[in-house]
Amino acid sequence: MSRPQPLSGFPELLPRQRIVEQQVVDHLRRAFELHGFANVQTRAVEPMDQLLRKGETSKEVYVLRRLQADGDGDAGLGLHFDLTVPFARYVLEHAGKLNFPFRRYQIQPCWRGERPQEGRYREFWQADIDIVDQGELPAHYEVEVALVIADALRDLPLPKVRMHVNNRKLSQGFYQGLGIADTEEALRIIDKLDKIGPDAVAKLLIEDVNATPEQAASCLKLASISAADTSFVDEIRALGVSDPLLDEGLDELAAVVEAAATAAPGFVVADMKIARGLDYYTGTVYETIMEGFESLGSICSGGRYDKLASDGKNTYPGVGLSIGISRILVPLLQSGRLDATREVPTCVLVALANDEERPAATALAQRLRSRGIPVQVSPSAAKFGKQIKFADKRGIPFVLFTNEEGTQIKDIRSGDQVTIDVDTWQPPAGDLHPRIVAPE
């Protein structure tokens, strides 16, 4: 059999990299739970009619079928490409058993059949938070989810991140005030601004939504406005467009920016070119950029949605954000910007003088494990120098010996070796588990 080749778009991490990913996931989980979010996990597959409700995604969905499919019910299923659509289905299916407002987080893999490139993969991990209510969802939750993400990302060793926010009501109200009829298509076009530039956007507005050159120019003027405070309100008013929906969006966005400026200074900026071209967003929308890695696009996105979860009788509006774990970590790991202090969880290697001592060494290891210290026994009774080399290659900081002087622990980094009581010795807190580091 020939050597397997990597499969494009399906990144696989090495053990040292996987430690970083696991610790980031654990950090996010703790942060979300500190804010009162409960964990759920949804199935990997959804009916195609559910998956295709989101908008321009039909070409990206992986359809699921068995190799020997015989029409027994597998048809019409696809792998989920995000966690929001499955969550909307979950809310509808379990609404009678949930307490509203319902706060949930999910950390799971997703699958999307797009062209692989830096930060964009066909299989990737996401971490989502959403707050859903029944009937009505107060606007203050649109402020809260932004602050939860600020908390969750604050203590991770990442490059500086900044969240760009806008409001769909603001944009759509502005377009309505201009006299543009198809405001949703206008939003989708504006969402392409960073990719195709202002001239191409103006051309599409004129061709696809029948905007006049003057209307297209006004849309681009709106998209050029950004501010880290509420000064954007006066700038938009100065454009001379009025509409009740615009007023509502301005008020809601100003509340988000003002609250974030107090609770997380420098994290949120109002940015009128943020549109989020997906169909179901109705209020605040969010995109988050990592400085120095702007080519990755948004590493945390989402928004307010009012009608995604509805059974015709009841509606469950919500607001949520999705952190692209793989989008953030894979480029940072591959470029050496993030690393772990070792490639295994092991803190202590128990050395062997000979194979007859293995039962005793295993008993020593178990005494340490019973106190929460990760330990493994040396795989062979090689010369002590080779056993130390085994530990050093994996980053294991301590080797435990038993000799005529008793039980001794050796810090193989400094060479210090001391006699210890196995039942009371504790490694330094920084050595107990691998840590994430950001090499210069």
Side-chain angles (χ1 to χ4, degrees), residues 163-166 225-229 232 253 257 268-272:
M163 180 176 285
H164 297 247
V165 298
N166 193 7
I225 294 173
S226 66
D229 54 29
F232 69 89
L253 185 59
V257 173
V268 166
V269 58
D271 187 346
M272 300 309 113

Side-chain angles (χ1 to χ4, degrees), residues 48 51-52 57-63 78-79 81 111-113:
M48 291 297 294
L51 291 174
L52 298 182
T57 54
S58 59
K59 294 180 180 179
E60 300 177 354
V61 176
Y62 280 110
V63 177
L79 294 172
F81 54 82
W111 298 267
R112 185 174 296 177

